[in-house]
Amino acid sequence: MQMSKIVDFHKALGDLTRVRIIALLQQGPLHGQAIAGKLGLKPPTITHHIAKLREVGLIKERREKNTIYFSLNEKILKGSAMAILTVGKGGDHMEMTVTETERASIINNFFTRDGKLKTIPAQRKKKLVILAYIVRGFEFGKVYPEKEVNEYLKQFHDDYATLRRELIMCQFMYRENNEYEMNPPELWWLR
């Protein structure tokens, strides 16, 4: 899970009313008026909090005529709650180790002599090796605008957008407001 999603999940739960709504929905689906009545709040307040919970995927909706029933998405709740325990351990995937011989072989097979990436590997282990190789050109602690990241990645492959997305998804880099920064190696999905 991306760290930004973990943060968004915890921000959504950083409000007592939202935690109370989750507690109510554990008993079963309820419509907004029922939630408002049980919590002693006005319906617009419930609508606001339901929207925040929906943004992080914790709420499911089912319409019956003119009434919307809300229920808890327990799978997302459990997965998001447990995600914090995986930070620094490679997300929901087990830690992946690569020997220096494997690393050299993968780099040799996927890069041309002039440093161009022949193809973006489909196999996860190979993709992580390639991304770790590419990310060496970024400086730890420096913030990069998206345009600069794109220009750097273009030297490796024409599909720089996919490379950029993979660097984020595999925790090599962090993105906020179209600015990018390297994560510490302890957060990378490759050791």
Side-chain angles (χ1 to χ4, degrees), residues 52-60 73 76-77:
K52 295 291 185 185
L53 294 170
R54 186 186 308 113
E55 285 175 13
V56 293
L58 293 176
I59 299 290
K60 295 189 281 186
N73 189 338
I76 297 290
L77 177 61

Side-chain angles (χ1 to χ4, degrees), residues 12-174:
L13 293 183
D15 184 280
L16 179 59
T17 300
R18 292 180 208 141
V19 173
R20 292 172 68 205
I21 290 171
I22 288 172
L24 282 176
L25 293 178
Q26 286 182 32
Q27 309 304 314
L30 292 169
H31 55 77
Q33 290 282 8
I35 296 170
K38 289 179 182 284
L39 296 179
L41 298 170
K42 296 188 184 291
T45 302
I46 298 303
T47 301
H48 166 75
H49 290 294
I50 289 287
K52 295 291 185 185
L53 294 170
R54 186 186 308 113
E55 285 175 13
V56 293
L58 293 176
I59 299 290
K60 295 189 281 186
E61 299 177 7
R62 176 179 46 87
R63 181 177 288 277
E64 280 185 24
K65 297 186 182 181
N66 291 334
T67 306
I68 298 174
Y69 287 86
F70 302 102
S71 61
L72 196 56
N73 189 338
E74 291 189 27
K75 182 179 178 184
I76 297 290
L77 177 61
K78 288 176 184 173
S80 296
M82 295 302 294
I84 192 72
L85 298 175
T86 66
V87 172
K89 295 181 181 176
D92 352 342
H93 304 286
M94 50 185 249
E95 186 176 305
M96 207 172 284
T97 56
V98 179
T99 67
E100 284 306 314
T101 304
E102 288 176 306
R103 187 182 316 268
S105 175
I106 292 167
I107 290 169
N108 188 44
N109 289 334
F110 279 90
F111 283 96
T112 62
R113 289 183 187 203
D114 63 345
K116 280 281 204 187
L117 185 58
K118 296 174 188 174
T119 182
I120 299 172
Q123 186 183 9
R124 185 135 194 89
K125 187 174 188 175
K126 292 177 182 175
K127 184 186 301 182
L128 292 172
V129 169
I130 295 305
L131 293 172
Y133 180 79
I134 289 173
V135 83
R136 298 173 315 145
F138 292 107
E139 185 180 322
F140 186 73
K142 183 177 176 185
V143 177
Y144 296 88
E146 188 169 291
K147 185 176 180 179
E148 191 174 336
V149 172
N150 290 344
E151 289 303 315
Y152 172 73
L153 295 176
K154 281 180 189 177
Q155 70 181 311
F156 296 104
H157 199 274
D158 291 337
D159 191 359
Y160 58 88
T162 296
L163 287 176
R164 187 183 68 228
R165 200 169 27 255
E166 290 289 345
L167 287 170
I168 299 300
M169 292 172 55
C170 296
Q171 304 297 341
F172 287 97
M173 297 189 87
Y174 167 76

